[in-house]
Amino acid sequence: AQKITQTQPGMFVQEKEAVTLDCTYDTSDQSYGLFWYKQPSSGEMIFLIYQGSYDEQNATEGRYSLNFQKARKSANLVISASQLGDSAMYFCAMRDLTGGGNKLTFGTGTQLKVEL
Amino acid sequence: GAVVSQHPSWVICKSGTSVKIECRSLDFQATTMFWYRQFPKQSLMLMATSNEGSKATYEQGVEKDKFLINHASLTLSTLTVTSAHPEDSSFYICSARISGGSYEQYFGPGTRLTVT
């Protein structure tokens, strides 16, 4: 069974600083995908970034980058130049790609607060 | 593009009644939709996978007779919570995958259900 672990229930960062949100995963599958989603207090899930298990380069999307260390089974999210609007809950998720699977398994999330 | 709506955004119902939540893909066709449940300050838990024109696949521990899912068209899936009880109060989120598209799931804004 797949498992996602986010060990930081809460994080604080000062505006304009960079922050790393940790995510480790456990799977026996060779083919999988890793996602990060942002959930503001309004509740909607906003897709941030995706990393496939066979991607050799770390994914980047604007201020978001994913530090993918396959041997360590970690997929940490790095947010550069934090903004007040980045304050939200962040979830790491994994999708099983074998057998055409579509299911996402989510971690418990990290509440990020950006301070002035 | 790839917008998913949910209706209603919030609902209060009395214990013992049923409530229907709609999930619509507004600008794309979705063969597959997913229903998640999220308790306060917790992660999203997949309840079921809804496939157009066929029966939904429920996750272990989810009562299919209590949470009725109908995916009657390529743009609409409904979740009906039957004989609701206070413990069913939760945030219900749907997501949709573009037919023939890639891995990404597009999430709706969620429906907050309160059973009194």
Side-chain angles (χ1 to χ4, degrees), chain A residues 100-113:
Chain A
N102 292 304
K103 295 196 292 187
L104 285 178
T105 302
F106 284 85
T108 50
T110 296
Q111 181 73 50
L112 176 67
K113 294 203 173 177

Side-chain angles (χ1 to χ4, degrees), chain B:
Chain B
V3 178
V4 176
S5 71
Q6 279 185 244
H7 178 79
S9 54
W10 59 271
V11 58
I12 301 172
C13 70
K14 291 190 175 181
S15 188
T17 62
S18 296
V19 61
K20 181 186 285 188
I21 302 169
E22 293 184 349
C23 176
R24 292 183 185 272
S25 56
L26 297 185
D27 51 1
F28 65 97
Q29 293 186 329
T31 308
T32 305
M33 290 184 172
F34 305 87
W35 286 96
Y36 295 85
R37 183 174 181 175
Q38 185 181 28
F39 290 109
K41 300 194 184 299
Q42 293 189 24
S43 187
L44 279 74
M45 298 299 293
L46 180 65
M47 298 175 67
T49 302
S50 166
N51 293 297
E52 187 266 337
S54 64
K55 289 184 179 180
T57 304
Y58 290 81
E59 294 301 299
Q60 195 171 8
V62 177
E63 300 174 60
K64 61 182 179 182
D65 294 331
K66 179 169 184 61
F67 298 99
L68 301 179
I69 291 172
N70 188 320
H71 194 155
S73 79
L74 286 172
T75 58
L76 174 64
S77 176
T78 60
L79 168 69
T80 301
V81 183
T82 62
S83 187
H85 290 286
E87 57 265 30
D88 297 324
S89 298
S90 187
F91 192 56
Y92 293 87
I93 307 176
C94 73
S95 70
R97 193 169 155 264
I98 297 176
S99 298
S102 66
Y103 48 80
E104 191 171 341
Q105 292 183 23
Y106 297 91
F107 283 83
T111 296
R112 189 161 304 282
L113 170 64
T114 302
V115 185
T116 60

